[in-house]
Amino acid sequence: MPRHWLACLLLVGLMPPDVPAQSRMPLVVEAALDRQVIAPLLDAFARAHTDIALEYHDRSTLEVDRRAREVRPAPDVVISSAMPWQLARVNEGLAQPLDSDEARHWPAWAKWRNEVFGFTFEPIVTVYRLDLARHMIPPTTHADLHTILNTHQGLLRGRVTTYSPGRSGVGYTLFQQDARYSPRFWDLVAAMGAAGVSLEDNTQAMLDGLTEGRYWVGYNLLGSYAMHWAQTHPEVIVQVPQDYALVMMRMAFVHRDAPHPAAARAFVDFLLGIEGQRILAGSTPLFSVLPEVIGPYTAQRLRDQVGERLYPIPINASLLAFVDRLRRDAFMARWNREISILEDGD
């Protein structure tokens, strides 16, 4: 094991120093998931599996997808919020099935062929800065957001942010789902464009802009990151839309060519197991999927709060349509036309 790699593992706190490095089984995880948010689960895994040396990389959804397809040696585990891309890679044969109790008993609606698993349940939210409330009633629905964009266009010009669907896999997925559920989605896109919306690659960039005061309202942010941020940044308010709320799941699979398949299976089983799900529910805003898990962040508690207006993005073959090149090109062409900002569809 190279010295610089060992030092990196010690630095991030994932390798207990009392176990000889030579006896550890390596494990490489490529993930579109902020380490600060998932840290409680990673630390618990390290304590439970002192024989495994975890190397965790947090990257963009598009970079994670590229590495899963192109980089060799392949990563052991691939995690991403870009659900269509994850299912497409599994459909292409890049995943290996799991035959553990955790995998077999995982809810059928949150997995596909025991090869890829949605292990979180994260609402998609609107976030606004307190400055907004001094000038207008903050939006609680998609229709409210459309209204304030039209009635306060001058005040909000340059102060609105959302994902770039051309540069973010998860952003593209969310907008495709919006278009499915909301007949006025394109009106909202046009209103954001008229207000000079700023397009960002990730939720953190939007949250930074909100805290710095550059933005007053952000649309379609990942609720997990936003809730985590709001705990230490009281200037931002997180709103789960009351008309309908999309729910995104991080999807994980063991790569077909995983160099360390035993360690990879142990990691995914930990994500799906009771202990891992309890940590998600109690120590992270990623929300547990399992109905029997109790905590402040669970799918059941979110359902109790939002009710039938909660729309989880399904893990099924319908996701594959979103990565179809013709469909993507058509969507991006209309996006560019409605928002009046040229976006690259690649």
Side-chain angles (χ1 to χ4, degrees):
M1 181 184 300
R3 290 185 178 180
H4 67 86
W5 193 58
L6 175 59
C8 177
L9 291 171
L10 288 168
L11 179 63
V12 298
L14 295 180
M15 180 185 289
D18 56 335
V19 179
Q22 295 85 348
S23 64
R24 294 179 178 279
M25 190 186 324
L27 170 64
V28 177
V29 177
E30 292 286 352
L33 177 52
D34 191 331
R35 191 191 184 282
Q36 290 185 336
V37 176
I38 194 67
L41 187 141
L42 298 180
D43 294 342
F45 176 81
R47 291 191 297 270
H49 295 271
T50 57
D51 59 327
I52 295 176
L54 171 59
E55 182 180 351
Y56 183 89
H57 299 285
D58 171 24
R59 308 186 194 273
S60 72
T61 53
L62 297 184
E63 178 61 14
V64 167
D65 183 65
R66 186 190 72 80
R67 287 176 171 270
R69 290 182 287 110
E70 300 176 4
V71 174
R72 294 297 179 271
D76 294 302
V77 176
V78 182
I79 297 174
S80 179
S81 52
M83 298 173 66
W85 278 263
Q86 287 289 85
L87 197 68
R89 301 310 153 234
V90 173
N91 191 55
E92 292 165 0
L94 284 187
Q96 54 179 280
L98 269 65
D99 192 35
S100 62
D101 288 341
E102 291 84 355
R104 288 194 302 272
H105 296 144
W106 195 247
W109 56 268
K111 67 178 178 180
W112 199 51
R113 299 193 312 206
N114 275 11
E115 294 181 13
V116 64
F117 305 86
F119 68 96
T120 68
F121 196 82
E122 303 170 53
I124 305 306
V125 302
T126 299
V127 180
Y128 62 89
R129 196 178 156 83
L130 281 176
D131 302 57
L132 185 82
R134 300 192 187 102
H135 300 274
M136 66 198 78
I137 298 175
T140 60
T141 67
H142 293 80
D144 289 345
L145 178 58
H146 181 247
T147 297
I148 67 169
L149 287 170
N150 285 330
T151 57
H152 299 276
Q153 185 181 108
L155 185 62
L156 292 175
R157 181 167 297 281
R159 289 171 168 161
V160 180
T161 186
T162 192
Y163 270 108
S164 159
R167 303 193 305 269
S168 168
V170 66
Y172 172 77
T173 302
L174 297 177
F175 291 133
Q176 282 274 14
Q177 292 292 319
D178 272 330
R180 173 185 177 188
Y181 289 117
S182 173
R184 299 202 63 189
F185 167 68
W186 290 112
D187 294 336
L188 178 57
V189 172
M192 287 192 292
V197 66
S198 294
L199 303 179
E200 298 284 8
D201 294 1
N202 54 68
T203 286
Q204 188 57 56
M206 291 186 257
L207 291 170
D208 288 339
L210 285 158
T211 288
E212 294 163 6
R214 290 184 287 112
Y215 305 139
W216 280 12
V217 60
Y219 174 63
N220 266 11
L221 283 72
L222 301 185
S224 52
Y225 290 175
M227 292 173 187
H228 180 77
W229 188 259
Q231 290 173 1
T232 54
H233 295 82
E235 70 278 358
V236 299
I237 305 298
V238 179
Q239 174 68 58
V240 178
Q242 297 301 295
D243 50 349
Y244 74 89
L246 297 176
V247 176
M248 176 273 296
M249 287 179 277
R250 310 273 173 169
M251 293 168 63
F253 66 85
V254 176
H255 201 287
R256 176 195 63 200
D257 303 322
H260 317 104
R265 289 191 292 268
F267 184 77
V268 173
D269 283 345
F270 191 81
L271 295 181
L272 307 182
I274 289 292
E275 181 181 356
Q277 289 290 302
R278 282 177 179 162
I279 293 169
L280 291 184
S283 302
T284 81
L286 293 167
F287 288 84
S288 167
V289 171
L290 291 181
E292 62 267 34
V293 170
I294 298 173
Y297 300 107
T298 66
Q300 188 56 53
R301 184 167 182 177
L302 193 61
R303 286 193 177 100
D304 291 342
Q305 293 173 345
V306 182
E308 295 181 357
R309 299 180 302 276
L310 205 61
Y311 295 165
I313 300 173
I315 298 180
N316 58 37
S318 68
L319 284 176
L320 297 175
F322 297 141
V323 295
D324 176 79
R325 184 70 198 199
L326 292 178
R327 177 170 180 160
R328 180 170 170 81
D329 288 348
F331 181 91
M332 291 305 303
R334 182 161 187 187
W335 172 273
N336 290 332
R337 184 170 68 250
E338 299 289 352
I339 209 165
S340 301
I341 299 174
L342 184 60
E343 276 269 280
D344 187 357
D346 292 329

